[in-house]
Amino acid sequence: MASAFSSSSAITFLLALATLALCVSPAFSASAGFKVKLKSVDFGKKLSTFERVLHGMKRGQHRLQRFNAMSLAASDTASDLKSSVHAGTGEYLMDLSIGSPAVSFSAILDTGSDLIWTQCKPCQVCFDQATPIFDPKESSSYSKIPCSSALCKALPQQECNANNACEYIYSYGDTSSSQGVLATETFTFGDVSVPNIGFGCGSDNEGDGFSQGAGLVGLGRGPLSLVSQLKEPKFSYCLTSIDAAKTSTLLMGSLASANSSSSDQILTTPLIKSPLQASFYYLPLEGISVGGTRLPIDASNFALQEDGSGGLIIDSGTTLTYLIDSAFDLVKKEFISQTKLSVTDAADQTGLDVCFKLPSGSTDVEVPKLVFHFKGADVDLPPENYMIADSSMGLACLAMGSSSGMSIFGNVQQQNMLVLYDLAKETLSFIPTQCDKL
């Protein structure tokens, strides 16, 4: 079974692969939820299709290395790192404000970690940021958190200083880290202000990838995350598959729910918890079909192991989908077998393992259907969610890669779907949506 695929439309779609910046709509109250718009950080940059892909892949591969480091640490019961290494980086930036009076800054949005933090004065080691560094002495709502607080105890690594203030260090799997004092502050999303949000006031911040913003906002499952602190059991996002001039959306609280008129299109699968990787959103992937052929992949390839290794997570901060090596090899082999195009080695140009030559002058080609079989939800992806094309280069490539550790369902595969996280029901839903219409 094949799907019609327009290479010209895929070029436009690829603009959504770059990092996105979030701009908050001011029309919502915290109690009713709020809506956050996403805009590409690469907007205005003169990049070719595959240059945009390579940028996203470089960030994604760095993130994958961190995930695998976390998985290895979790499976090593003797390691002190098993609960103290986190994802960091990501593909989205969130514009928000902190303090009273409010100081604006941009932070990386990360579904793979929990802690909210920003750089603070006085800085011992800080990276360059576009906005002024937050000075807690200038804010009337700033308050240090004592060591006895639940948020301090939720930190993987903390110490008490001489004033009984909670000091933290948050590591991201390589040399990247943030270190400082845990405090509470008023955070503002447009006109929506939320007091007493716990965050890291970082005076020693080092590592690759943070310079995209001035800190990080964790949307993971742990008690330190924005989702947990807002006590909102639902959030969702909808990523567009169009050019960078269009916006995507993040929805928090009551606004996150799907429109009732789309109920017949909702595909829902359980969320899985890991006691050793509490931040991650694991999904039960049971198999994959290419062109109607169910591949002989044992479901155990995607199973979360008791030692915290393996499993498949859904992640907004990783560009491509990465499958464990044995599963990716089967997908690759079957995809090549069913695609009526000449295979070409374009890894040096694209960074992708599976590429085909586009026929000269052709704008439409047929590619095999690709279905991810989650428990209770067969997600039949549109071609633009797994094929990347550039007619000027004469190439079409499969937007997937291999992993030696855990598997990741990346953001390319989530385009033009409302992805709804319901933490009360412990489910995740996919709803086909024209995301630029939200």
Side-chain angles (χ1 to χ4, degrees):
M1 187 179 297
S3 300
F5 175 62
S6 169
S7 60
S8 59
S9 66
I11 297 172
T12 303
F13 151 77
L14 281 166
L15 299 177
L17 296 185
T19 306
L20 301 179
L22 304 175
C23 303
V24 180
S25 171
F28 300 91
S29 69
S31 60
F34 52 84
K35 181 178 180 179
V36 180
K37 285 295 183 181
L38 295 82
K39 185 175 66 176
S40 174
V41 166
D42 284 338
F43 177 79
K45 294 181 180 180
K46 294 182 179 180
L47 299 173
S48 71
T49 298
F50 281 109
E51 283 175 333
R52 295 182 183 275
V53 176
L54 285 169
H55 284 194
M57 284 181 59
K58 183 178 180 180
R59 292 188 293 265
Q61 288 170 348
H62 190 72
R63 186 172 174 86
L64 178 63
Q65 291 172 0
R66 289 178 172 176
F67 282 140
N68 284 333
M70 296 166 70
S71 182
L72 287 171
S75 63
D76 182 1
T77 56
S79 175
D80 291 335
L81 295 174
K82 69 178 181 179
S83 62
S84 60
V85 183
H86 308 275
T89 68
E91 287 296 291
Y92 308 100
L93 290 175
M94 185 173 187
D95 286 343
L96 67 162
S97 299
I98 182 174
S100 305
V103 177
S104 298
F105 71 103
S106 295
I108 298 165
L109 188 69
D110 184 17
T111 55
S113 65
D114 297 329
L115 183 67
I116 304 163
W117 64 266
T118 189
Q119 300 197 116
C120 289
K121 292 182 178 179
C123 259
Q124 297 175 12
V125 179
C126 281
F127 49 82
D128 291 337
Q129 64 179 64
T131 53
I133 294 175
F134 176 63
D135 187 348
K137 292 181 179 179
E138 299 296 323
S139 174
S140 62
S141 49
Y142 176 86
S143 179
K144 293 180 180 179
I145 288 178
C147 296
S148 59
S149 73
L151 286 178
C152 184
K153 292 177 180 178
L155 285 165
Q157 291 178 289
Q158 77 278 344
E159 292 183 359
C160 275
N161 65 20
N163 297 318
N164 195 37
C166 181
E167 295 185 345
Y168 75 93
I169 180 168
Y170 217 69
S171 301
Y172 292 95
D174 49 18
T175 59
S176 302
S177 65
S178 175
Q179 186 171 355
V181 175
L182 200 66
T184 59
E185 255 297 6
T186 296
F187 281 78
T188 303
F189 309 90
D191 288 344
V192 178
S193 294
V194 185
N196 301 318
I197 295 293
F199 80 107
C201 200
S203 57
D204 187 342
N205 312 292
E206 304 177 62
D208 183 49
F210 294 143
S211 59
Q212 297 175 75
L216 191 143
V217 175
L219 278 186
R221 304 190 62 158
L224 294 163
S225 77
L226 180 63
V227 176
S228 297
Q229 292 197 58
L230 291 177
K231 296 180 170 57
E232 293 287 1
K234 289 184 181 180
F235 73 94
S236 61
Y237 51 75
C238 202
L239 307 179
T240 60
S241 61
I242 49 180
D243 63 36
K246 301 293 184 178
T247 59
S248 298
T249 305
L250 172 72
L251 299 163
M252 297 294 296
S254 60
L255 296 181
S257 298
N259 190 314
S260 59
S261 64
S262 62
S263 59
D264 60 331
Q265 297 180 299
I266 299 176
L267 298 172
T268 300
T269 189
L271 284 168
I272 299 172
K273 280 185 176 180
S274 167
L276 297 178
Q277 299 289 0
S279 298
F280 291 166
Y281 297 98
Y282 286 91
L283 299 180
L285 181 61
E286 297 179 335
I288 299 172
S289 291
V290 176
T293 300
R294 183 77 174 246
L295 302 179
I297 304 173
D298 194 296
S300 63
N301 282 280
F302 305 116
L304 176 63
Q305 304 301 314
E306 290 184 1
D307 64 2
S309 63
L312 176 138
I313 64 170
I314 184 168
D315 184 40
S316 64
T318 303
T319 300
L320 303 183
T321 284
Y322 291 93
L323 301 176
I324 191 169
D325 294 330
S326 58
F328 177 76
D329 289 343
L330 289 172
V331 171
K332 176 180 177 179
K333 180 179 179 181
E334 188 65 26
F335 209 88
I336 290 173
S337 173
Q338 294 191 30
T339 302
K340 309 303 181 185
L341 296 171
S342 299
V343 179
T344 184
D345 184 358
D348 290 344
Q349 297 168 276
T350 68
L352 297 165
D353 290 337
V354 184
C355 289
F356 305 93
K357 291 182 179 179
L358 290 173
S360 179
S362 174
T363 57
D364 293 294
V365 296
E366 288 189 345
V367 295
K369 290 175 69 67
L370 183 63
V371 181
F372 280 73
H373 301 285
F374 297 100
K375 184 177 182 179
D378 294 329
V379 179
D380 188 346
L381 296 175
E384 60 268 24
N385 282 29
Y386 58 91
M387 287 299 294
I388 293 171
D390 189 327
S391 57
S392 66
M393 296 178 67
L395 294 173
C397 302
L398 181 65
M400 295 173 64
S402 62
S403 169
S404 59
M406 67 168 60
S407 298
I408 301 174
F409 194 67
N411 62 46
V412 172
Q413 282 65 42
Q414 301 173 54
Q415 306 294 318
N416 274 329
M417 289 190 283
L418 184 71
V419 182
L420 171 62
Y421 296 70
D422 189 329
L423 305 184
K425 295 181 179 178
E426 289 292 338
T427 60
L428 182 134
S429 298
F430 299 96
I431 305 101
T433 305
Q434 192 66 34
C435 292
D436 63 318
K437 303 297 184 183
L438 287 180

